[in-house]
Amino acid sequence: MKRLDISLDVAQLFDAHFVGLHSGGPRSSIAGGQSAANAALADLDIAGYAKQRSQVLPIAARGATVLSPYIRHNLLTLQQVWNHVAKAPTADREKFRDELLWQEYARHLYARIGTRLFENLRFEQVWDEAGDGWPPGMACVDFAVDALSQDGWLVNQTRMWLASQWSVRNQAGWLHGQERMYRELIDGSRAANLLGWQWTVGTGTGKPYGFARWQVQKRAPVLCGGCALKRNCPIENFPDEQSLAAAAFEPLLLSDPDPQRTAGPLLVVENRAPQYVLLTIDSLGDGDPALVANPTLPVVFVFNEAALKKLQLSAKRIFFYLETVQDLAERKDVQIYLGDPHQFARENAVAVTYAPVPSFQKFTGLAQVHPYPWLKKPHGQSVRSFSAWRGKLG
Ligand SMILES: Cc1cc2nc3c(=O)[nH]c(=O)nc-3n(C[C@H](O)[C@H](O)[C@H](O)COP(=O)(O)OP(=O)(O)OC[C@H]3O[C@@H](n4cnc5c(N)ncnc54)[C@H](O)[C@@H]3O)c2cc1C
């Protein structure tokens, strides 16, 4: 376990300690940290959101809020963002809250079925086949791939273009496409990224999303005008309709035998007095429940060296985390390490907030566990579709 000097400049920390632990690339224009998240929320104006959410270009016409990096790491909780739009125009508020519920649905689904979400869920589709589904040449695909690599953020519309192009049109295995996207996205979460891919390529619904010139002309018309292939567009027409075979039945989609386990503790679990608050990437905000309950304890974040080596996330993501912990260090006594967070938790008395992801089970001997800040408590009924899940929310 190596302690890093948090007072160093972010770029110095990155250069000194993260060699071999990332796949390179630039720093995103989206800043990490609670201060940046608070500023984004203070600026939030969702008037026009319902109509403009899917607009890609011009950038000034976009309705998307770009809150996802902060929501993904609970720098902003879904409840906080939900409450913030209470006075927005009705159609915009309803549409926006619907999307917040999609995020919550992704979390519930992943919490319940875990790594099963990496496999074809309800229908078969090209899954593990090798291949690059985004060969260069088309202005629309190049634009989206470039934004992904440069900034690590895309509007939902272009995420769908890319996922569809990768597998539905180009027949490359979606497992690899989602991994490439996950490495780059500043908001990359297994829950939402896997859900987004499963729903776009049709494994979640049986109806793959077809990407064609039509969407580009509607959402980013300027791209077609400058495209070298404008007179020979390879996506002039929608891809042929695919009829997908049913995948192996997954009983957990229909009901959860143990919704309590899925939700994690609903009350604080107190085993012994904690000496540290340990943050995880699922909860990095000033409002982290374990941190709020233990305001005077030192706060620790451990960069998981083995996981980073394996995942090879883009440099953007590491910068985002470094910016986030440095921002927190302006208000708290923060220590950062490179090593194994689970070992840190075994060897020290830590207070931590439960995270509804499979890797949380690697924590043992925790001194204090705080409930996850759900927007809606997970139920034990169907999660086969968003509407089935939503219909059963209390
Ligand atoms: C292939 C694919 C991959 C995706 N990968 C991710 C991912 O790794 N992380 C991630 O947070 N979202 C992911 N999404 C969902 C969605 O595209 C992003 O959350 C959204 O584009 C973020 O931009 P925004 O904050 O401006 O969203 P807004 O439109 O402003 O929506 C507000 C918030 O609602 C939530 N939200 C919106 N749309 C969705 C959705 N379809 N599913 C789940 N939550 C949603 C996000 O938290 C978002 O910040 C993916 C979607 C697809 C199709």
Side-chain angles (χ1 to χ4, degrees):
M1 193 85 60
K2 190 185 340 170
R3 185 159 174 191
L4 313 187
D5 181 355
I6 199 165
S7 70
L8 288 178
D9 174 76
V10 166
Q12 278 177 309
L13 276 170
F14 179 79
D15 291 343
H17 301 293
F18 291 87
V19 176
L21 301 181
H22 63 87
S23 51
R27 204 158 160 176
S28 174
S29 67
I30 304 170
Q34 188 68 57
S35 304
N38 293 349
L41 189 63
D43 274 355
L44 181 65
D45 174 7
I46 61 160
Y49 177 83
K51 281 206 176 121
Q52 295 303 103
R53 158 178 194 257
S54 297
Q55 194 64 28
V56 178
L57 289 173
I59 290 176
R62 283 182 185 167
T65 62
V66 203
L67 289 181
S68 53
Y70 307 121
I71 292 176
R72 185 269 175 264
H73 301 101
N74 270 320
L75 292 161
L76 301 175
T77 63
L78 286 172
Q79 188 70 63
Q80 203 180 350
V81 180
W82 179 281
N83 294 347
H84 195 88
V85 297
K87 295 195 176 119
T90 310
D92 298 319
R93 186 183 65 227
E94 294 308 308
K95 181 70 186 155
F96 184 72
R97 285 183 169 172
D98 230 48
E99 301 308 336
L100 298 180
L101 282 173
W102 271 96
Q103 183 69 210
E104 183 74 347
Y105 172 55
R107 293 174 182 182
H108 283 206
L109 183 63
Y110 191 46
R112 188 190 294 186
I113 71 170
T115 52
R116 176 68 176 80
L117 196 54
F118 282 83
E119 295 162 25
N120 289 338
L121 199 55
R122 293 180 56 206
F123 296 89
E124 296 289 352
Q125 179 58 284
V126 282
W127 177 65
D128 191 21
E129 284 74 352
D132 175 359
W134 305 326
M138 293 159 62
C140 50
V141 172
D142 290 351
F143 164 79
V145 171
D146 194 50
L148 181 65
S149 336
Q150 292 298 315
D151 230 18
W153 184 86
L154 296 171
V155 299
N156 185 66
Q157 178 76 189
T158 38
R159 295 179 202 224
M160 290 173 72
W161 294 0
L162 287 186
S164 180
Q165 188 68 6
W166 186 282
S167 295
V168 181
R169 176 95 54 181
N170 287 337
Q171 294 289 294
W174 68 263
L175 184 67
H176 305 298
Q178 73 77 31
E179 196 65 24
R180 189 156 154 202
M181 203 181 259
Y182 176 77
R183 276 194 209 118
E184 301 291 341
L185 285 173
I186 296 283
D187 62 27
S189 81
R190 289 303 190 188
N193 194 48
L194 289 166
L195 176 75
W197 277 80
Q198 296 257 14
W199 258 244
T200 306
V201 304
T203 49
T205 61
K207 293 191 184 67
Y209 168 87
F211 170 47
R213 187 174 199 167
W214 185 82
Q215 286 103 325
V216 184
Q217 282 177 328
K218 183 160 186 230
R219 298 297 182 190
V222 68
L223 290 176
C224 284
C227 182
L229 299 173
K230 69 179 164 196
R231 284 182 228 299
N232 188 21
C233 176
I235 59 164
E236 187 69 47
N237 300 311
F238 280 93
D240 292 339
E241 257 184 44
Q242 293 179 328
S243 116
L244 304 182
F249 175 64
E250 175 49 71
L252 278 175
L253 286 176
L254 286 187
S255 66
D256 187 347
D258 193 354
Q260 204 63 54
R261 186 205 62 85
T262 299
L266 297 176
L267 297 171
V268 179
V269 179
E270 185 100 52
N271 295 318
R272 62 206 153 104
Q275 291 168 313
Y276 298 95
V277 171
L278 180 68
L279 297 181
T280 70
I281 66 159
D282 290 288
S283 185
L284 284 174
D286 285 20
D288 171 73
L291 192 155
V292 170
N294 297 283
T296 57
L297 291 184
V299 182
V300 169
F301 182 74
V302 184
F303 285 89
N304 189 329
E305 191 168 8
L308 288 178
K309 199 167 199 169
K310 184 166 159 224
L311 289 170
Q312 292 293 309
L313 301 180
S314 68
K316 295 181 281 297
R317 295 195 62 168
I318 307 217
F319 276 118
F320 187 89
Y321 299 133
L322 285 170
E323 287 161 5
T324 299
V325 287
Q326 279 203 335
D327 178 72
L328 183 62
E330 286 172 16
R331 297 172 296 284
K332 294 277 175 189
D333 170 13
V334 179
Q335 303 175 12
I336 53 172
Y337 294 85
L338 187 61
D340 178 358
H342 309 107
Q343 183 194 344
F344 188 92
R346 276 194 306 276
E347 293 176 355
N348 299 278
V350 303
V352 68
T353 298
Y354 182 79
V357 297
S359 61
F360 193 83
Q361 304 315 322
K362 292 185 191 160
F363 283 115
T364 51
L366 294 170
Q368 223 180 49
V369 187
H370 289 257
Y372 184 73
W374 294 109
L375 176 63
K376 304 281 179 187
K377 191 176 149 210
H379 59 61
Q381 301 187 61
S382 178
V383 290
R384 244 160 59 108
S385 67
F386 174 72
S387 50
W389 166 81
R390 188 180 184 167
K392 299 296 179 195
L393 291 176

